[in-house]
């Protein structure tokens, strides 16, 4: 566990009345934030004003100058309540956090842990400014830090910027410089030229209001804050003039979906060519009994750095054609994380689905990391899917032209049975399906399950433990197992099962199932279980004809 620096923090070296407010902006609202390139509040990198503390940095550095996910942040200033009463302050942090208000320590949890809620209480008087200091450190994994409050028996809410005032770190301190840029040519970044600016204290106070005004080519810049609303898109952009909704800085804009059936909606697929950037969606109240997602796309949509956290139902559902998702996260959702329905020409690049199905929905339904059905031309590239209750990635029913590559799918688990925790499931799909260059491990069910499907190639993957599960249950002539190519994979302690329907020693020929060039290590004695008969690798070679020829020099996708 990291230790905090022995350098005194502000709350213990000066009284509130001795501090200077930002003289250049007497109406400044928020807290002074100091970002450190260490986990112990040393090596300061940047001072800035944060209007609220509600950040999902994910696995990305919070500011320029921090090169990895080990860092710390200190927020200081004053807080002025509107009412007199007993206030409960709540922090949600991954990792450690300490909160002091008016010199009293309300939260002291400086340990390293996953996202954890802590709380403390204090009595405050209306209209009186009180000193506040929030210290946070992060070590590894995903980074979350949020501060909220409640008075008396009210429900907790984010602290409005108007109730917060920033301070200088010390009178006369020079600004903290950024470190020099890394060697090499600097990146060229086009400045944002907004058409509309959303500011909870400005003339356009909500994202929904801006959505009513936009036209093709417009850019909506969203200033930091928490916006409690449901945004239904009304206008469409065009392929060459999309409409963009973008946070002013990553990790600074959250849409609180509490009480709303959906939070960002394409008007049920009727709006096109929308770009969303750097927005977090929290706590959508979409029920388990519906397929409505917290965020639903339309044709031509691009989602970049979108995080959906804690939706009651599904996090993100992809609809429409020519849709792209970059660095998006669906986590801790009640039903499913990231799903797709009737979509085509979709790229999902470097996204994360984790901790989903928190409500314990049946994993045989759309629960877990997410299910895709009736989709065409889908590429899942660089997905990380882990710690979901249910399947890590599921293509179920009439999906065609599917590529799953460079993914890491691990530690998914069942709800009541281990077999429910499948890593990747291909079911009732006519293909072609290409599964290549992925890692599978720690799943309680099959690492890969192929069920009643056709035209599937599995190549250059790493499977550790668990099993490859091939099932051919009678589900119609169009969905009998056929044309499987399993080439150049590494099976480490992994079994191969073939079950359901009819399996015999001729099945590799009649169903055209080829095993070639695979590596087997730490194998169980019964490496193959084929139609109920256990076989060693040598027996499988002799009886089934597997691993008797090299893989083709040119394989699909190469």
């Amino acid at each position: 566990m990291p230790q905090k620096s022995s350098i005194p923090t502000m709350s213990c070296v000066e009284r509130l009345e001795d501090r200077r407010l930002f003289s250049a902006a007497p109406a400044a609202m928020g807290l002074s934030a100091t970002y450190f390139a260490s986990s112990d509040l040393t090596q300061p990198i940047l001072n800035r004003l944060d209007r609220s503390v509600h950040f999902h940095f994910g696995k990305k550095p919070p500011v320029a100058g921090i090169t990895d996910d080990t860092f710390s942040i200190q927020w200081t200033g004053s807080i002025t309540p509107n009412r007199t009463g007993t206030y409960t302050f709540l922090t949600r942090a991954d990792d450690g956090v300490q909160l002091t208000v008016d010199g009293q320590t309300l939260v002291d949890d400086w340990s390293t842990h996953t996202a954890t809620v802590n709380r403390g209480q204090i009595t405050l008087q209306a209209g009186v400014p009180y000193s506040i200091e929030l210290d946070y450190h992060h070590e590894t994994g995903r980074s979350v830090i949020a501060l909220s409050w409640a008075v008396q028996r009210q429900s907790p809410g984010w602290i409005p910027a108007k109730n917060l005032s920033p301070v200088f770190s010390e009178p006369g301190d020079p600004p903290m410089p950024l470190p020099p840029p890394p060697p090499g040519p600097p990146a060229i970044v086009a400045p944002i030229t907004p058409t509309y600016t959303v500011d909870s204290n400005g003339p356009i106070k909500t994202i929904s209001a801006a959505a009513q005004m936009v036209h093709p080519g417009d850019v909506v810049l969203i200033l930091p804050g928490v916006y409690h609303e449901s945004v239904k898109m009304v206008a469409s952009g065009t392929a060459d003039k999309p409409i963009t909704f973008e946070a002013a800085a990553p990790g600074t804009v959250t849409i609180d979906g509490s009480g709303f059936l959906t939070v960002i909606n394409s008007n049920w697929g009727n709006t096109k060519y929308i770009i969303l950037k750097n927005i977090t969606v929290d706590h959508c109240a979409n029920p388990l009994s519906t397929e409505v997602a917290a965020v639903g796309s339309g044709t031509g949509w691009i989602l970049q750095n979108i995080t959906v956290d804690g939706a009651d139902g599904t996090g993100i559902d992809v609809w429409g054609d020519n849709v792209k998702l970059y660095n998006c996260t669906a986590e801790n959702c009640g039903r499913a994380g990231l799903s797709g329905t009737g979509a085509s020409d979709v790229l999902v690049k470097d996204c994360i689905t984790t901790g989903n199905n928190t409500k314990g929905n049946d994993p045989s339904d759309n629960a877990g990391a997410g299910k895709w059905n009736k989709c065409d031309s889908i590429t899942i590239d660089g997905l990380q899917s882990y710690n979901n209750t249910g399947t890590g990635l599921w293509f179920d029913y009439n999906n065609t032209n599917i590529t799953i590559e460079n993914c890491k799918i691990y530690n998914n688990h069942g709800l009541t049975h281990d077999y429910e925790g499948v890593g990747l499931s291909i079911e009732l799909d006519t293909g072609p399906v290409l599964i290549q260059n992925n890692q599978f491990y720690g799943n309680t069910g099959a690492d890969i399950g192929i069920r009643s499907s056709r035209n599937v190639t599995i190549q250059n993957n790493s499977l550790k433990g668990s099993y490859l599960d091939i099932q051919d249950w009678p589900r119609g002539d169009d969905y009998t197992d056929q044309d499987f190519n399993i080439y150049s994979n590494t099976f480490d302690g992994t079994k191969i099962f073939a079950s359901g329907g009819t399996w015999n020693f001729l099945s590799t020929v009649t169903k055209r199932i080829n095993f070639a060039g695979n590596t087997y290590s730490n194998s169980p004695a019964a490496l193959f279980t084929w139609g109920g008969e256990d076989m060693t690798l040598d027996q499988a070679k002799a009886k089934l004809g597997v691993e008797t020829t090299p893989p083709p020099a040119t394989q699909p996708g190469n």
Side-chain angles (χ1 to χ4, degrees):
M1 181 178 71
Q3 300 297 314
K4 292 179 67 173
S5 168
S6 59
I7 299 174
T9 55
M10 289 186 291
S11 63
C12 62
V13 299
E14 59 176 339
R15 294 172 55 84
L16 174 64
E17 54 267 28
D18 297 326
R19 297 182 176 183
R20 291 195 302 151
L21 298 179
F22 282 105
S23 58
M29 295 180 291
L31 295 174
S32 298
T34 303
Y35 289 74
F36 302 86
S38 71
S39 61
D40 60 355
L41 301 175
T42 61
Q43 305 177 45
I45 292 294
L46 176 70
N47 279 335
R48 76 178 190 188
L49 175 69
D50 286 341
R51 290 170 60 85
S52 65
V53 180
H54 188 245
F55 297 104
H56 291 253
F57 297 120
K59 293 188 175 182
K60 309 175 191 68
V63 295
I66 295 177
T67 57
D68 57 30
D69 58 1
T70 299
F71 61 89
S72 52
I73 309 171
Q74 183 177 82
W75 289 275
T76 54
S78 65
I79 183 168
T80 304
N82 298 325
R83 295 175 52 187
T84 297
T86 299
Y87 282 77
T88 300
F89 286 81
L90 300 94
T91 62
R92 181 171 183 257
D94 178 351
D95 293 299
V97 62
Q98 291 182 334
L99 173 65
T100 302
V101 177
D102 194 32
Q104 298 185 38
T105 300
L106 303 186
V107 172
D108 186 2
D109 185 4
W110 201 243
S111 61
T112 300
H113 49 67
T114 57
T116 302
V117 175
N118 287 286
R119 65 193 68 207
Q121 289 187 331
I122 187 172
T123 299
L124 304 176
Q125 300 295 316
V128 177
Y130 296 89
S131 64
I132 182 169
E133 179 179 314
L134 179 67
D135 297 334
Y136 168 70
H137 82 84
H138 185 256
E139 293 294 317
T140 186
R142 300 188 58 76
S143 170
V144 175
I145 176 65
L147 175 65
S148 58
W149 68 348
V151 60
Q152 305 298 86
R153 297 184 178 181
Q154 290 185 350
S155 299
W158 313 123
I159 302 175
K162 65 183 180 181
N163 294 92
L164 301 170
S165 297
V167 297
F168 280 123
S169 57
E170 287 288 342
D173 274 359
M176 296 177 185
L178 287 174
I188 299 174
V189 180
I192 300 173
T193 305
T195 312
Y196 303 101
T197 299
V198 177
D199 181 355
S200 59
N201 297 295
I204 305 176
K205 299 182 182 301
T206 67
I207 305 167
S208 297
Q212 301 287 328
M213 303 175 182
V214 291
H215 297 88
D218 285 347
V219 174
V220 176
L221 186 66
I222 309 168
L223 296 190
V226 177
Y227 298 84
H228 184 230
E229 58 180 307
S230 176
V231 182
K232 183 178 180 180
M233 298 299 174
V234 178
S236 292
T238 63
D240 59 338
K241 292 184 177 181
I243 298 170
T244 300
F245 293 79
E246 180 171 359
T252 64
V253 170
T254 295
I255 306 178
D256 178 7
S258 301
F260 296 111
L261 179 67
T262 182
V263 178
I264 301 178
N265 189 281
S266 61
N267 196 11
W268 315 111
N270 290 314
T271 53
K272 302 177 180 180
Y273 298 104
I274 304 291
I275 298 175
L276 304 175
K277 290 185 179 181
N278 305 326
I279 298 170
T280 294
V281 172
D282 267 356
H283 307 306
C284 179
N286 49 340
L288 288 172
S289 58
T290 74
E291 298 290 341
V292 177
V295 176
S297 72
T299 290
W301 278 45
I302 297 175
L303 279 63
Q304 182 175 340
N305 295 324
I306 301 300
T307 295
V308 179
D309 188 0
D312 284 347
T314 296
I316 301 172
D317 197 10
V318 177
W319 304 335
D321 307 326
N322 189 26
V323 180
K324 295 177 173 61
L325 283 72
Y326 301 101
N327 299 302
C328 295
T329 298
E331 60 186 358
N332 307 317
C333 296
R335 187 178 188 185
L338 170 59
S339 298
T341 306
S344 65
D345 191 17
V346 174
L347 172 63
V348 176
K349 176 67 173 171
D350 297 333
C351 295
I352 296 173
T353 57
T354 181
N356 297 295
N357 195 15
T358 61
K359 304 288 187 181
N361 204 56
D362 182 357
S364 66
D365 197 356
N366 180 12
K371 178 192 286 190
W372 297 73
N373 63 82
K374 298 181 181 179
C375 295
D376 177 63
S377 299
I378 311 296
T379 296
I380 310 291
D381 184 357
L383 175 74
Q384 293 191 54
S385 177
Y386 58 97
N387 293 344
N388 298 286
T389 302
T391 301
L393 178 60
W394 191 355
F395 281 87
D396 181 26
Y397 189 61
N398 278 2
N399 294 288
T400 56
N401 298 300
I402 307 303
T403 298
I404 302 156
E405 58 188 356
N406 307 315
C407 299
K408 185 183 289 187
I409 301 177
Y410 62 101
N411 292 351
N412 298 289
H413 55 271
L415 179 65
T416 57
H417 305 284
D418 283 348
Y419 64 76
E420 296 168 329
V422 178
L424 169 64
S425 180
I426 306 297
E427 183 172 1
L428 290 168
D429 296 318
T430 56
V433 177
L434 175 60
I435 304 165
Q436 64 178 2
N437 304 323
N438 305 288
Q439 298 179 52
F440 302 89
Y441 60 90
N443 302 294
T444 62
D447 274 345
I448 302 177
I450 311 296
R451 287 85 186 255
S452 305
S453 295
R454 294 186 173 186
N455 303 308
V456 179
T457 296
I458 305 172
Q459 65 185 28
N460 300 318
N461 300 282
S462 170
L463 290 78
K464 184 176 178 62
S466 190
Y467 51 99
L468 169 65
D469 190 25
I470 303 172
Q471 296 185 13
D472 195 12
W473 298 108
R475 300 169 97 170
D477 292 342
D478 292 336
Y479 302 103
T480 54
D481 281 354
Q482 189 172 292
D483 294 308
F484 295 169
N485 295 308
I486 303 167
Y487 296 146
S488 304
N489 302 282
T490 298
F491 295 100
D492 182 358
T494 305
K495 286 179 62 70
I496 290 93
F497 280 98
S499 63
T502 301
W503 294 89
N504 54 47
F505 297 152
L506 295 177
S507 294
T508 51
V509 176
T510 58
K511 298 177 186 290
R512 296 190 292 277
I513 299 177
N514 302 305
F515 284 80
N518 300 291
T519 300
Y520 304 88
S521 62
N522 302 312
S523 301
L527 176 59
F528 281 74
T529 297
W530 201 265
E533 180 170 346
D534 293 335
M535 289 175 270
T536 64
L537 178 57
D538 288 340
Q539 290 170 334
K541 288 179 179 180
K543 295 181 178 181
L544 303 177
V546 301
E547 304 293 354
T548 56
T549 59
T554 302
Q555 300 174 17
N558 293 335

